Amino acid sequence: QADALMAGCPPPLVRSPRIMSEVYHCILTRLAARGWDAPRVRVRVPRLKLLWILLRNSIRRPGWLSRTAARPA
């Protein structure tokens, strides 16, 4: 549901929630793979994966300029 709501919002407004969603999804996936026993080993998201999520959500997509700014002078 959250992804569907974020899809309808302007990307700059949902950048942080989208990053948090991807990181939490990664943590949940790793927890499910490890099992739900008493947590003996800390579940972490690798730094490279965190960097990739951050970069992927920080790079502006085509069309980010307003129409008036994109017109040649």
Side-chain angles (χ1 to χ4, degrees):
Q1 278 181 331
D3 290 334
L5 288 172
M6 286 189 285
C9 295
L13 293 179
V14 294
R15 183 170 292 134
S16 295
R18 191 177 314 274
I19 291 169
M20 288 187 295
S21 172
E22 288 189 43
V23 171
Y24 290 147
H25 177 73
C26 187
I27 291 171
L28 180 63
T29 302
R30 288 172 174 263
L31 280 170
R34 182 195 71 184
W36 301 106
D37 295 336
R40 302 284 186 240
V41 179
R42 183 174 178 178
V43 175
R44 295 178 179 230
V45 179
R47 288 184 192 256
L48 191 59
K49 175 90 172 179
L50 287 172
L51 182 62
W52 173 245
I53 291 170
L54 182 64
L55 287 174
R56 187 176 57 216
N57 286 288
S58 296
I59 296 174
R60 296 182 186 238
R61 289 171 174 74
W64 63 275
L65 288 173
S66 66
R67 290 181 182 169
T68 56
R71 290 184 189 157

